[in-house]
Amino acid sequence: MRNTKQTAFTLVELLVVITIIGILIALLLPAVQAAREAARRTECGNNLKQLGLGMHNFAFNNNDRFPTAAFSWESAEYTGRGPGTWYDDHGWYSQMGPYIEQQAWYNSIDFNVSFSHPKNDAARRVMLKVYSCPSDIGLQRNEWDNDSFARVRGNYVVNFGNTNYGQTTKAGVPFGGAPFTYRVQTSTANIKDGLSNTLCMAEVKVLPEMSSQAFGAWGGPPSDFSTSLGGQTFNAWLPPNSPVADEVARLIAPAALFQQQKTPVPISASHTKEQTFAARSHHPGGVMAVLCDGSVRLFSNSIDIAAWRALATAKGAEPAGMIGP
C-alpha cells in the first residue's frame, strides 16, 4: 500500500527557526556596522591625507608657507571686492585647487574679487568629493538660489589655534600661534612646536541643505568652509565632539539641524572674531585629523584638554611627549 504520510515543520519548529535566525542577525549586525564604519573612517583618513599632502605641496611651491585662511580681516580692506563684508572673502579653500588635482576649477576662480562675487558663482557651486566624510550626510548646498552667496558645506577645516577665531586670549588663556591665520601665509618655520606636534586640519559636522523659504537662506557659519566666516576653521578651545556648545556669530539654523551635538550659542555679528568651533565628527569615539607632517589619526573625545590645545598651537613650546603616541 502507498504511504500517504507527509512530513512538514510544525508551527513551533518554524517559530524556533525564525527566532534563531533573528538572534544570529542581531549578533552579526553590530559587527557588520562596525566593519562599515571602519571602512568609512579609512576613507575619511584618506581624504585628510590627500588634503594634508596638498597643504605640503602648497607650502613647497610658496616659500614654505601655508595658505592664508582669510584674505580680508576688516570691512575697510574688503571695499570693492564684492557683496557682503570681509567675512565673505576667500579663505584657504579656493587656493587649494592645483594641489589636490583640481587645476581647471582653480583656473575658473577670480581672486581679484571676493569668492562671494557673482564672477565666482560657478566655482562656488562645484562639489569636490575630497571634502566629504563618508560617515556624514555628504556635501550640502546652501543658498543655492543666490548667485553671490550660493556655497557648499563640507567636513574638513583648518586649525586656527587654541582659543578663538580672532586668535586672541580667551578666558585668560593666551593664543599660542597656529599654522593658519588671516591676511598672510604662515611660514612653516614659525611652527616652532614641530610639524609632527601641530594639527593641520580636522573634521566638523555638516549642516543639512536649507531652503531660503524655510530658514532665511543661510544657516550660519558651521561647516560653511569656503569663505572667511569662521566656519573654515576649528579651534582647540573645546575638545573633540565636546558636549559644550560652540559660540557662533549670525547663527540661523534651527536646533534640530545640529546632528548629535549641542546647538551652538549664538553671538552678535560684531563679535565674529570671538567664535569658537570644536572639531566634531560622526565617528564613534573621536575625530579624524591630519597633522602638519601629513600623518593622520583618530583623536579621542576623551583626550586631555591641555594636550589637545598643545596640539593646536604652533609655538606653545610644549614638551614633545605631551601629546602621547
Side-chain angles (χ1 to χ4, degrees):
M1 295 178 65
R2 186 172 61 185
N3 185 1
T4 60
K5 185 178 180 180
Q6 295 180 344
T7 59
F9 287 112
T10 66
L11 179 59
V12 172
E13 290 172 331
L14 185 59
L15 290 175
V16 169
V17 170
I18 292 173
T19 301
I20 292 172
I21 292 173
I23 293 172
L24 291 174
I25 291 173
L27 292 173
L28 184 61
L29 190 58
V32 172
Q33 291 174 333
R36 288 177 175 172
E37 169 53 27
R40 290 192 292 264
R41 194 171 75 184
T42 296
E43 184 178 344
C44 176
N46 288 339
N47 289 342
L48 281 165
K49 184 71 173 180
Q50 183 176 346
L51 293 171
L53 291 174
M55 290 294 183
H56 270 273
N57 289 336
F58 183 101
F60 179 79
N61 286 278
N62 291 275
N63 298 313
D64 291 324
R65 294 178 179 274
F66 287 125
T68 179
F71 272 33
S72 302
W73 202 235
E74 300 289 348
S75 294
E77 65 195 278
Y78 184 79
T79 302
R81 289 187 57 77
T85 187
W86 60 267
Y87 39 70
D88 294 302
D89 212 343
H90 295 272
W92 59 268
Y93 170 77
S94 52
Q95 303 170 66
M96 289 296 294
Y99 311 103
I100 56 171
E101 300 181 350
Q102 294 293 335
Q103 184 69 52
W105 172 72
Y106 175 82
N107 291 342
S108 72
I109 299 171
D110 187 344
F111 287 93
N112 294 312
V113 294
S114 77
F115 202 44
S116 297
H117 195 284
K119 288 183 178 180
N120 288 319
D121 178 47
R124 273 186 279 106
R125 296 174 187 268
V126 173
M127 293 189 173
L128 303 175
K129 187 179 178 182
V130 70
Y131 291 107
S132 175
C133 171
S135 290
D136 208 337
I137 57 176
L139 298 172
Q140 298 290 297
R141 299 173 175 181
N142 209 98
E143 271 190 289
W144 218 242
D145 54 355
N146 189 311
D147 64 0
S148 290
F149 300 111
R151 289 190 288 266
V152 176
R153 294 184 185 270
N155 286 105
Y156 306 118
V157 296
V158 298
N159 170 22
F160 234 48
N162 61 315
T163 58
N164 54 27
Y165 183 48
Q167 299 187 324
T168 58
T169 295
K170 181 176 176 64
V173 177
F175 172 64
F180 298 91
T181 190
Y182 52 90
R183 293 187 182 131
V184 299
Q185 298 175 346
T186 303
S187 171
T188 55
N190 285 337
I191 303 178
K192 305 291 187 182
D193 292 345
L195 300 182
S196 61
N197 292 320
T198 307
L199 291 163
C200 180
M201 300 183 73
E203 297 180 84
V204 292
K205 292 180 178 178
V206 177
L207 287 185
E209 180 176 349
M210 287 167 275
S211 68
S212 58
Q213 292 78 17
F215 302 115
W218 180 66
S223 71
D224 193 343
F225 70 142
S226 63
T227 54
S228 301
L229 296 152
Q232 82 279 24
T233 71
F234 77 96
N235 331 99
W237 178 251
L238 298 174
N241 288 312
S242 174
V244 177
D246 297 342
E247 298 170 275
V248 178
R250 300 176 309 283
L251 188 67
I252 298 174
L257 296 183
F258 290 89
Q259 312 157 65
Q260 301 173 25
Q261 70 186 64
K262 193 168 183 178
T263 306
V265 174
I267 59 178
S268 169
S270 62
H271 296 160
T272 291
K273 295 176 185 178
E274 297 175 17
Q275 296 180 108
T276 58
F277 299 90
R280 302 184 185 276
S281 83
H282 288 284
H283 302 304
V287 300
M288 297 296 293
V290 60
L291 294 160
C292 289
D293 66 353
S295 60
V296 177
R297 57 180 282 191
L298 180 80
F299 288 91
S300 172
N301 295 338
S302 60
I303 186 173
D304 179 76
I305 188 60
W308 182 240
R309 290 177 183 173
L311 277 166
T313 62
K315 49 185 179 182
E318 300 89 0
M322 186 175 183
I323 66 171

